[in-house]
Amino acid sequence: MMNKSANRLHFLDAIRSFAILMMLQGHFVHALLGTEYRDNDNAIYSIWSYLRGMTAPTFFTITGFIFTFLLLKNKMTGLQNPRVLKGIRRAVKVIFWGYLLRLSFFAISRGTLNPSFFYVDVLQCIGTSLLLLIGVYLLFYRKDKDWFQRIVLCLGILIFILQPMYGKCILEFLPKTIANYFTNRNGSIFTLFPWFGYVCFGSFMGTVFLKYKEQAQFYLYAKVVLMSIGVLLVYFSSDILMILYRFTDVIVFKSVAYNNFLFIRLGNVCILFAVFLMLKNYFSDGITTKIGGNTLSIYIVHFFVLYGSWFGLGLNRFFHRQLTPLQTFVGAILFVFCVCVIVLSYYRNEDQIKSKVNDFKNRILTVIPDSFLIEINDILQKVKKLRYIKR
């Protein structure tokens, strides 16, 4: 990625590592902490709940940032840019895993699909957001990078401002599989809007960093600007929206101001970026890079361990909202540690594991009689011929 300055890459990986670790502990606590301990008047629980709310905005923002940075850093443009096809493949892979993790083998055994299979979760939303971002790039790359920069910034603002309007849509005229990307009325956890807005803001930040990163004192200015914007959004964005409403009489400004979670969370993300920029010299090619580079694998493993995925036999099935605060605290630490160890150990020994799997396959094949394999091959050839004849 950023090969000229290791630190400039590592602070991004550190943010991504922070986000995935926050997600792991957040899901664990949310799923297993006893109901009687979920008290918003409790300072510790209230702080934890607020910090947990930063995870998804951070993830979507950093996704847009990193993808755009790598996309525009390449000198080739349009479909000739290898990052375009790589991004499409990555997006499709993420969407695929989003659906696969929600598949229930028990439902399949009954000849049906579980309703939750069609819910849109974070992976489908991130994957679709990447495809949209690539589409925006392909539409405007012929102009210049400044055009793309302006478009993604305007899109992000527009998506946030119009949230009260599209947030109420039910979209009954669309098939539920499609509608689930735009409304949570059917059970979706994440929807394309407003979350694509964070990807757009992250994309805008990526273009700014790419444009000015070589200039002297840029990182100093970036810290100050991000911190200032973050404080402004967190503490004053609602007032600014109300001022816009009074000057324009556009009711949507007032609606956003009264439920201003999007701009406030964006402010949280800006402050978080500023903090990690301040610490960027302390990050190196170590554990944060490894965790930040394997977020999809970590998400997949955590989903199996916590929710059980295909068979539903995860921790949530046995301890759903039953743990005490102490048990939850210790359990969350162990959960985060174990999931990361599983993923990082696999990639450390990936070649050996694949070699053993191939050896196991070969041993199985040696046990199976050659006549049986020949018969299976004949059947497959006949099926291919039938398909060709039908065509």
Side-chain angles (χ1 to χ4, degrees):
M1 293 169 31
M2 287 185 245
N3 46 26
K4 284 188 179 181
S5 176
N7 284 333
R8 294 172 191 175
L9 167 64
H10 295 145
F11 97 89
L12 295 175
D13 277 332
I15 295 175
R16 197 156 52 172
S17 298
F18 173 80
I20 194 70
L21 295 178
M22 285 290 290
M23 183 214 68
L24 291 177
Q25 65 83 21
H27 284 184
F28 184 93
V29 175
H30 179 72
L32 306 185
L33 179 65
T35 305
E36 64 272 25
Y37 303 109
R38 298 167 186 264
D39 181 12
N40 286 318
D41 293 329
N42 182 288
I44 296 176
Y45 181 79
S46 180
I47 292 171
W48 169 84
S49 182
Y50 186 85
L51 292 175
R52 178 176 179 258
M54 293 170 54
T55 305
T58 302
F59 240 116
F60 281 92
T61 305
I62 198 67
T63 296
F65 186 114
I66 292 176
F67 179 77
T68 299
F69 187 96
L70 296 176
L71 178 71
L72 299 184
K73 186 182 178 184
N74 196 294
K75 301 303 179 183
M76 303 183 77
T77 58
L79 291 174
Q80 300 301 315
N81 190 329
R83 286 288 168 182
V84 171
L85 292 179
K86 187 174 181 179
I88 292 173
R89 286 195 295 268
R90 176 72 174 179
V92 171
K93 179 182 178 181
V94 169
I95 294 170
F96 170 78
W97 271 108
Y99 282 112
L100 189 62
L101 288 174
R102 289 192 159 272
L103 196 63
S104 170
F105 282 7
F106 296 110
I108 291 176
S109 67
R110 296 191 296 269
T112 185
L113 289 173
N114 48 302
S116 61
F117 172 78
F118 299 99
Y119 297 169
V120 174
D121 209 335
V122 64
L123 293 186
Q124 294 98 315
C125 198
I126 286 177
T128 311
S129 294
L130 281 177
L131 292 177
L132 274 180
L133 191 61
I134 292 169
V136 172
Y137 165 75
L138 291 176
L139 282 173
F140 294 99
Y141 79 91
R142 287 187 178 86
K143 297 189 178 290
D144 54 45
K145 293 178 181 178
D146 289 338
W147 256 92
F148 177 77
Q149 184 183 66
R150 297 186 198 109
I151 291 296
V152 291
L153 177 60
C154 291
L155 275 176
I157 294 172
L158 195 64
I159 289 169
F160 279 19
I161 291 293
L162 297 181
Q163 190 276 330
M165 299 175 64
Y166 62 73
K168 298 177 182 179
C169 294
I170 301 177
L171 305 176
E172 292 182 344
F173 61 93
L174 289 175
K176 279 189 177 181
T177 306
I178 304 298
N180 285 344
Y181 279 88
F182 303 98
T183 178
N184 55 16
R185 298 298 177 92
N186 303 320
S188 291
I189 294 87
F190 287 85
T191 52
L192 194 54
F193 304 111
W195 293 102
F196 179 57
Y198 287 106
V199 176
C200 289
F201 282 116
S203 178
F204 171 77
M205 292 167 65
T207 62
V208 173
F209 270 68
L210 183 63
K211 187 175 182 179
Y212 299 107
K213 64 184 177 69
E214 300 299 337
Q215 293 189 10
Q217 303 300 314
F218 167 69
Y219 280 87
L220 175 61
Y221 294 140
K223 298 170 195 174
V224 175
V225 171
L226 282 170
M227 184 63 72
S228 301
I229 292 175
V231 171
L232 183 70
L233 289 174
V234 171
Y235 294 103
F236 302 105
S237 58
S238 296
D239 294 332
I240 293 171
L241 288 165
M242 286 303 298
I243 291 171
L244 289 173
Y245 164 67
R246 294 190 186 101
F247 272 97
T248 63
D249 281 331
V250 177
I251 193 69
V252 72
F253 290 126
K254 181 180 179 181
S255 300
V256 176
Y258 280 6
N259 188 28
N260 185 20
F261 64 97
L262 293 173
F263 285 107
I264 289 175
R265 288 305 187 188
L266 181 61
N268 294 150
V269 174
C270 289
I271 293 172
L272 185 68
F273 267 71
V275 171
F276 274 84
L277 269 174
M278 293 174 190
L279 301 172
K280 76 182 187 70
N281 291 329
Y282 296 97
F283 302 121
S284 59
D285 189 9
I287 190 69
T288 54
T289 300
K290 291 181 174 64
I291 292 175
N294 292 291
T295 51
L296 178 59
S297 299
I298 289 173
Y299 184 91
I300 292 169
V301 171
H302 114 280
F303 208 93
F304 276 99
V305 175
L306 186 58
Y307 302 112
S309 196
W310 301 332
F311 301 101
L313 299 175
L315 295 174
N316 188 50
R317 181 180 181 87
F318 303 103
F319 304 105
H320 179 67
R321 300 198 171 186
Q322 294 182 18
L323 301 186
T324 65
L326 180 59
Q327 290 172 333
T328 305
F329 177 76
V330 175
I333 293 175
L334 292 174
F335 176 70
V336 171
F337 177 78
C338 291
V339 169
C340 290
V341 166
I342 290 171
V343 173
L344 298 184
S345 296
Y346 169 79
Y347 283 105
R348 191 184 303 117
N349 304 290
E350 185 176 9
D351 293 336
Q352 296 177 12
I353 293 172
K354 287 182 177 180
S355 177
K356 290 180 179 179
V357 170
N358 288 331
D359 289 343
F360 179 75
K361 287 180 181 178
N362 292 333
R363 289 178 185 177
I364 293 295
L365 290 174
T366 56
V367 174
I368 300 174
D370 292 340
S371 58
F372 179 76
L373 292 175
I374 293 171
E375 188 174 343
I376 292 295
N377 185 59
D378 290 341
I379 293 172
L380 291 174
Q381 293 300 324
K382 289 177 181 178
V383 169
K384 287 182 180 178
K385 287 180 180 179
L386 286 172
R387 284 180 180 176
Y388 179 78
I389 291 170
K390 286 181 180 179
R391 288 176 183 175

